[in-house]
Amino acid sequence: MTNQTVNVVFFGISNLGIKILKNILKNKKFNIIFAITREKAKPHVVDIEKKYFNLIKQNNLNLKKNLINIKKLPQNTIGIIGGYDGIVKKKDIEKFDLGIYNIHFGIIPYVRGCNPIMWSILNNHFGYSIYKIDKKIDKGRNVYSKLYKIRSNLYLNSKNIYDLLSKSSFIKFKNTILKNPNNISFKKNLKLQSNYFNKHLPNNSYISWNWKPELIKKFSNAFYFPPYKSCRTKYKSKDIYLEVVDFKKKKSFKKDFGRIIKRNRRMIYIIVNGGLIKAKLHEEYSIICKGIKLKSIE
């Protein structure tokens, strides 16, 4: 059984997914039946999609949009998810006799669903889980989980954590799922409360200037993932997008939270609960100037 060719259906697209796909292509024990694209276009994957489609073309692989017209798959077939944004239905999962495996950038079952790194940062940790999927979203059988705790580092953001997890999880995925797909061992999930996060963003991405400066900085870090807009505040009826770059604790600031005390080009300095925030505006925003008060939304 271990010498038998393993058929693969690959679900993309991400930089991590492309690395996994290239590794599969190098391994003679794998036969890629076809690859599947993402369901929705996203700004940060436009260039990645080009790489993915070029890789598909260069290796003469079949490309499909979904599994809708696939009634049956050959024996010894495994599904590998490498950045897929859709939900694989139970009837399609059952077509894979070796199962379907995914990397989730959150600890299962503690952080399931959308924007896992964002929610993880706000809960003082981050990590990833490699698991065999089932009909419940991000709640399958655990192959491996890696948990990192955030203690005093307030400069970890969604982008650099994403890059770190991409490197770490690829190595582990290669040494577990791809090493011997016919004999994968499972571990118990970490004993943590199960939480599912839908597509809604924390506090709808709005900052409250009543929060302590550390929390505001952490909140901004959670939303930092170029080219997407970061967190926001509001002045009158207009949304103002900004990135918190630094803060200072000052006990003397006990009121007037949200007041801008200085502006230097796109950099503004804002009074918050127990300190001062330094933030970079995403645009010029000519209406933003010294003396105005930004709205707190909670």
Side-chain angles (χ1 to χ4, degrees), residues 135-293:
K135 63 180 180 180
K136 295 180 180 179
I137 300 172
D138 298 333
K139 218 175 180 182
R141 296 185 69 188
N142 182 42
V143 176
Y144 180 83
S145 290
K146 177 65 176 178
L147 174 66
Y148 302 85
K149 291 187 177 180
I150 301 174
R151 302 194 185 278
S152 59
N153 191 334
L154 286 172
Y155 295 91
L156 286 170
N157 59 53
S158 283
K159 181 61 171 67
N160 56 39
I161 288 176
Y162 177 87
D163 293 340
L164 185 155
L165 295 182
S166 294
K167 292 177 182 178
S168 178
S169 62
F170 168 71
I171 294 169
K172 198 66 182 180
F173 194 85
K174 184 173 66 172
N175 292 331
T176 53
I177 308 303
L178 301 185
K179 186 174 182 179
N180 191 358
N182 294 105
N183 188 25
I184 295 169
S185 58
F186 299 95
K187 298 179 180 179
K188 291 183 179 179
N189 287 339
L190 297 178
K191 293 183 178 180
L192 297 168
Q193 177 185 343
S194 179
N195 296 289
Y196 177 77
F197 298 98
N198 58 28
K199 62 182 180 180
H200 298 295
L201 299 172
N203 207 40
N204 202 21
S205 78
Y206 283 108
I207 292 173
S208 169
W209 304 111
N210 296 319
W211 295 340
K212 296 291 184 180
E214 296 97 332
L215 176 56
I216 295 173
K217 174 62 175 152
K218 188 187 296 182
F219 190 82
S220 175
N221 290 350
F223 280 86
Y224 185 81
F225 200 104
Y228 295 101
K229 289 181 176 179
S230 189
C231 54
R232 56 184 170 166
T233 183
K234 197 177 270 289
Y235 179 62
K236 294 184 176 179
S237 61
K238 186 174 179 62
D239 281 333
I240 308 296
Y241 288 88
L242 47 79
E243 173 199 346
V244 176
V245 296
D246 206 355
F247 68 89
K248 287 184 179 180
K249 294 181 182 179
K250 286 197 175 184
K251 293 181 179 179
S252 56
F253 292 133
K254 296 181 180 179
K255 60 180 181 179
D256 223 15
F257 307 144
R259 183 77 63 190
I260 297 175
I261 62 171
K262 181 182 176 182
R263 175 170 181 176
N264 182 8
R265 297 184 180 180
R266 287 195 182 180
M267 208 67 70
I268 57 175
Y269 298 79
I270 311 155
I271 296 173
V272 300
N273 186 1
L276 187 68
I277 286 292
K278 180 181 178 182
K280 182 180 180 181
L281 298 169
H282 278 210
E283 301 173 20
E284 288 293 340
Y285 296 120
S286 58
I287 61 172
I288 302 301
C289 59
K290 178 182 175 180
I292 69 168
K293 190 172 183 178

Side-chain angles (χ1 to χ4, degrees), residues 9-21:
V9 173
F10 190 86
F11 300 74
I13 305 164
S14 69
N15 276 322
L16 173 59
I18 289 173
K19 284 179 69 175
I20 293 172
L21 181 56

Side-chain angles (χ1 to χ4, degrees), residues 19 26 67 70-71 95 97 99 105 112-113 148 159 232 238 263 286 296:
K19 284 179 69 175
K26 291 178 183 177
L67 292 167
I70 307 299
K71 294 182 179 180
K95 295 172 185 175
D97 60 335
F105 284 174
R112 299 166 49 230
Y148 302 85
K159 181 61 171 67
R232 56 184 170 166
K238 186 174 179 62
R263 175 170 181 176
S286 58
S296 287

Side-chain angles (χ1 to χ4, degrees), residues 48-113:
I48 302 170
E49 281 181 330
K50 292 178 182 177
K51 293 179 185 177
Y52 184 68
F53 294 141
N54 285 336
L55 191 60
I56 298 296
K57 187 177 180 180
Q58 290 167 7
N59 290 276
N60 297 315
L61 301 179
N62 292 320
L63 185 65
K64 297 184 182 295
K65 289 185 177 180
N66 49 53
L67 292 167
I68 290 176
N69 297 319
I70 307 299
K71 294 182 179 180
K72 189 177 180 181
L73 291 170
Q75 286 188 332
N76 218 40
T77 296
I78 189 172
I80 303 294
I81 295 179
Y84 187 58
D85 60 339
I87 297 173
V88 186
K89 297 180 179 178
K90 180 184 176 183
K91 64 178 182 179
D92 289 324
I93 294 172
E94 292 172 347
K95 295 172 185 175
F96 294 78
D97 60 335
L98 297 184
I100 303 176
Y101 291 85
N102 186 31
I103 300 172
H104 177 68
F105 284 174
I107 298 299
I108 293 174
Y110 187 46
V111 182
R112 299 166 49 230

